[in-house]
Amino acid sequence: MNRELNFSGQSPILTLVATPIGNLQEFSPRAIEVLKECDFVAAEDTRNSGKLLSSFGIEKPFISCHEHNEEEASERIISLLKEGKKVCYMSDAGYPLISDPGGRLVARCLEHNVKVTVTSGPSAAINALVCSGLDSNHFYFEGFLPPKENERNEELRALSVRKETLIFYESPHRITRTLIAMAAVFGPRKAVIARELTKLHEEFIRGSLVELALEKEETLKGEMVIIVEGASSQKEEVTDNMIALALRDELEYERSGKEAVEVVAKNLGVKKNRVYSIYLRTFKTKVD
Ligand code: SAM
């Protein structure tokens, strides 16, 4: 048990700084003040953070602290904090630690009796959620799905029973494949793509997952969050469209027609002959 007020006492304190996710006017006056007053800025990418800070007239010595050096960097940051130096930590955009590095740094600080505070700011997940029109009282943040197809689909199946609104981050080069996989596993649920939040081309694309999966890939550029309606208590009907999308997903990973039909029938819990006839109708005249 340990109770200590953040802004009194002797213990050193690390300040996490949330940064804009697009629009620079969302950099809070408090964040700017804290950065101006600190001795060192630890950052995920010192070049990107350097550019951001220089546009606010701030120049500071940087410490690089990213996914691959977080343990060593944490030791250095903690010793500077214990020497009485003021250190901030920021990632490229939004909150550090939210699908970004910083988790091990915070854990090590707390182990060494270094306090932790944060200057608030935007997060893509929350911006997307509150504009989605879906239940925003109960939500589950997944962030990035695993990149490997098997692991991704396994994760989607595990998520498919959750009743909360689901929040995903995704990159433009994987968005269509991910939407197809989601449509295949989650079925005809409502979903929203929140694109380029707080930027000039901010856009919300709303529809069913199947509709979103069929959206032209070249129109899905930039940074995106996917929000998906949670599971309803009624069993979701597996539609022909879902089966066709699931088949397309499996075939894209170079499975044979026969394998794809078997995998989709098993994953969606539908009869093989139904999947087979959709396969023939959509992709081929005969299974190889
Ligand atoms: N730490 C960040 C936060 O608090 O939101 C998230 C960092 S994560 C590495 C980057 C992902 O966040 C992007 O691939 C995208 O899914 C989402 N993202 C970041 N900025 C965004 C924006 N302006 N509009 C939509 N999505 C955004």
Side-chain angles (χ1 to χ4, degrees):
M1 179 79 163
N2 171 28
R3 286 182 68 161
E4 193 175 16
L5 292 170
N6 255 1
F7 300 114
S8 61
Q10 295 302 307
S11 328
I13 186 160
L14 171 76
T15 307
L16 303 172
V17 176
T19 57
I21 57 169
N23 190 325
L24 293 191
Q25 289 181 22
E26 294 189 346
F27 213 1
S28 79
R30 180 172 174 232
I32 294 167
E33 189 187 306
V34 164
L35 284 162
K36 278 186 177 154
E37 283 176 2
C38 76
D39 300 302
F40 290 91
V41 177
E44 176 195 14
D45 184 320
T46 55
R47 252 183 41 178
N48 289 345
S49 296
K51 277 192 215 149
L52 176 67
L53 295 203
S54 69
S55 58
F56 288 87
I58 304 170
E59 279 196 25
K60 292 286 166 179
F62 274 101
I63 301 167
S64 167
C65 177
H66 50 73
E67 202 189 334
H68 304 293
N69 77 345
E70 202 172 331
E71 288 294 345
E72 307 90 83
S74 299
E75 276 177 35
R76 176 150 181 241
I77 293 166
I78 290 165
S79 51
L80 286 167
L81 285 158
K82 288 193 164 174
E83 282 167 25
K85 300 280 189 279
K86 292 181 186 156
V87 187
C88 294
Y89 181 65
M90 62 199 275
S91 59
D92 277 359
Y95 276 81
L97 283 85
I98 303 297
S99 294
D100 264 339
R104 278 173 289 169
L105 171 62
V106 168
R108 296 293 163 273
C109 282
L110 297 174
E111 280 163 21
H112 285 84
N113 293 322
V114 171
K115 297 188 286 193
V116 179
T117 187
V118 61
T119 70
S120 324
S123 179
I126 300 300
N127 279 37
L129 177 71
V130 297
C131 295
S132 69
L134 301 174
D135 179 9
S136 54
N137 283 320
H138 306 97
F139 56 89
Y140 181 85
F141 175 72
E142 171 74 6
F144 291 102
L145 285 161
K148 287 197 183 133
E149 182 213 358
N150 285 349
E151 291 168 24
R152 179 201 64 196
N153 288 353
E154 202 177 301
E155 185 67 11
L156 288 175
R157 280 195 287 279
L159 292 172
S160 67
V161 293
R162 298 202 79 106
K163 292 193 165 52
E164 308 95 331
T165 302
L166 305 170
I167 308 177
F168 300 89
Y169 285 163
E170 194 46 288
S171 67
H173 72 275
R174 271 205 297 261
I175 187 94
T176 298
R177 284 201 162 183
T178 298
L179 288 165
I180 290 173
M182 286 179 174
V185 176
F186 295 149
R189 295 192 197 172
K190 286 188 201 156
V192 180
I193 300 173
R195 206 173 71 79
E196 296 287 86
L197 290 160
T198 77
K199 303 185 199 174
L200 188 62
H201 298 289
E202 178 175 278
E203 181 184 29
F204 291 90
I205 311 171
R206 305 168 202 276
S208 72
L209 266 175
V210 174
E211 286 168 332
L212 296 186
L214 295 171
E215 199 64 13
K216 286 202 180 74
E217 191 163 13
E218 59 273 22
T219 66
L220 303 178
K221 296 266 182 274
E223 301 203 89
M224 282 168 279
V225 181
I226 308 171
I227 308 281
V228 180
E229 189 180 26
S232 69
S233 42
Q234 284 148 6
K235 200 168 172 331
E236 278 150 13
E237 189 203 344
V238 179
T239 63
D240 287 2
N241 246 343
M242 275 170 71
I243 294 174
L245 281 171
L247 282 167
R248 190 170 126 193
D249 193 33
E250 297 300 333
L251 291 168
E252 270 179 16
Y253 286 98
E254 286 168 17
R255 282 194 212 286
S256 69
K258 188 164 176 269
E259 282 168 341
V261 168
E262 276 166 12
V263 171
V264 169
K266 183 167 162 266
N267 287 351
L268 297 183
V270 289
K271 292 219 166 75
K272 231 195 284 186
N273 57 6
R274 180 173 169 211
V275 181
Y276 181 47
S277 69
I278 293 169
Y279 173 82
L280 289 182
R281 200 164 71 220
T282 321
F283 299 99
K284 248 192 150 123
T285 47
K286 195 163 116 343
V287 149
D288 42 338

